[in-house]
Amino acid sequence: MDQLLGFAPILLMFVAMWFILIRPAKKRQQETQNMQGSLQRGDKVITIGGLHGEIDSIEDTAVTLKISDNVRVKFDRQAIGRVVNGDQSK
């Protein structure tokens, strides 16, 4: 019984780490994957590098962003950081 009580603080720390660090990180990762999977042509996005553009075309693993008239740049889907679509406050 004393050995079981000795493992209780370690077990408690593991559970606390799960709820404080691991669980929220997995949730954020899932939300990002859902956002990147639901991209559509015409969405205004910001890449993880800070480039603002509008999605011109979508392929399996890449998107082409229109960043200016006659200027298109191809990015990996994973490089899309967020979709803004008129709401710059997010």
Side-chain angles (χ1 to χ4, degrees), residues 6 9 16-17 25-27 31 46 52 61 69 81 83:
M17 292 293 280
K26 282 188 177 186
K27 186 177 179 182
E31 289 172 355
I46 301 175
H52 294 242
T61 60
D69 291 336
V83 177

Side-chain angles (χ1 to χ4, degrees), residues 58-73:
I58 300 174
E59 299 171 16
D60 288 337
T61 60
V63 295
T64 302
L65 297 183
K66 179 179 175 184
I67 56 175
S68 182
D69 291 336
N70 299 322
V71 179
R72 287 171 174 71
V73 183

Side-chain angles (χ1 to χ4, degrees), residues 14-26:
F14 178 73
V15 170
M17 292 293 280
W18 173 261
F19 281 106
I20 293 171
L21 298 174
I22 298 171
R23 188 169 172 243
K26 282 188 177 186

Side-chain angles (χ1 to χ4, degrees), residues 45-63:
V45 297
I46 301 175
T47 66
I48 58 175
L51 184 74
H52 294 242
E54 181 178 332
I55 296 179
D56 187 53
S57 66
I58 300 174
E59 299 171 16
D60 288 337
T61 60
V63 295

Side-chain angles (χ1 to χ4, degrees), residues 1-57:
M1 186 69 172
D2 289 334
Q3 289 179 344
L4 186 60
L5 290 176
F7 287 120
I10 295 171
L11 183 61
L12 183 62
M13 285 186 350
F14 178 73
V15 170
M17 292 293 280
W18 173 261
F19 281 106
I20 293 171
L21 298 174
I22 298 171
R23 188 169 172 243
K26 282 188 177 186
K27 186 177 179 182
R28 276 191 306 273
Q29 182 181 16
Q30 184 66 37
E31 289 172 355
T32 301
Q33 286 178 346
N34 289 341
M35 178 271 303
Q36 290 170 348
S38 66
L39 293 173
Q40 298 178 356
R41 187 171 190 260
D43 284 348
K44 295 180 194 263
V45 297
I46 301 175
T47 66
I48 58 175
L51 184 74
H52 294 242
E54 181 178 332
I55 296 179
D56 187 53
S57 66

